[in-house]
Amino acid sequence: MLRSVAVARIKQGLAFRRNLDDVCVGALQEAQREFEIGTTLPWFLIAKDQSLLTVADTREIALPTDFIRFVEDEGPRYVTTDGVLYFALRPFAELDYYYRSTDSGAPAALALRSDSLAVFPLPDAEYTITASYYAKAAVLDSDIENLWLQYFPDLLISRAGMIVAGDIEHAAAEQKFSAKYDMWLKRYFSEMAAREDSNAPHQMGVNN
């Protein structure tokens, strides 16, 4: 669904308002920001197996600009000559103390900073760290379809409608959007729960 269609849907819920396009766009963007800082993030925001490159004699490597957080149990990791090494992210101060007297070399531990990863020990060459992370969807600053409008348009529209209706003090519209939001939020969490369950290991029954 394109942004323009989502805006039209919001205006329809506001008794077919003919204005407020910019307000509706701003509300869609606000709703997206709200969803992307949630405790639970959806599968469709996962950026699989992205490469992050270290730089020799440089402690930190920048995180992607769309980075939200790493996917649990899917990174970051460094492929050694013996296989795949998974990193457990540790506090910066702890790693700084532990590796203070260690020579530079291949990555062995990582600390998550505000917009970068700190690599320990200090890299002595370029290494590829692979990670799956949740990435922000494209911002709706033009008439595009982003991932939210592709997978859960009604969730985004109903939340944005609540925001607009509240701002213009349209109680009836706010109540209507709120009811739709509650319904779609339940479906949203149900779908994520179903996907997590389908990916979980299941033990086969044993016949005696």
Side-chain angles (χ1 to χ4, degrees), residues 95-114:
L95 296 179
D96 184 52
Y97 176 81
Y98 184 82
Y99 287 96
R100 187 165 296 171
S101 58
T102 302
D103 293 335
S104 60
L110 299 170
L112 183 61
R113 311 288 272 169
S114 60

Side-chain angles (χ1 to χ4, degrees), residues 20-40:
L20 300 177
D21 288 59
D22 290 343
V23 174
C24 292
V25 169
L28 288 166
Q29 294 172 348
E30 180 180 339
Q32 178 180 332
R33 290 193 300 271
E34 181 180 307
F35 293 144
E36 290 179 350
I37 61 172
T39 303
T40 303

Side-chain angles (χ1 to χ4, degrees), residues 72-114:
E72 186 177 0
D73 298 329
E74 292 190 29
R77 55 202 183 275
Y78 164 62
V79 181
T80 67
T81 55
D82 299 324
V84 179
L85 173 65
Y86 282 81
F87 294 107
L89 296 172
R90 306 298 300 172
F92 180 88
E94 176 184 317
L95 296 179
D96 184 52
Y97 176 81
Y98 184 82
Y99 287 96
R100 187 165 296 171
S101 58
T102 302
D103 293 335
S104 60
L110 299 170
L112 183 61
R113 311 288 272 169
S114 60

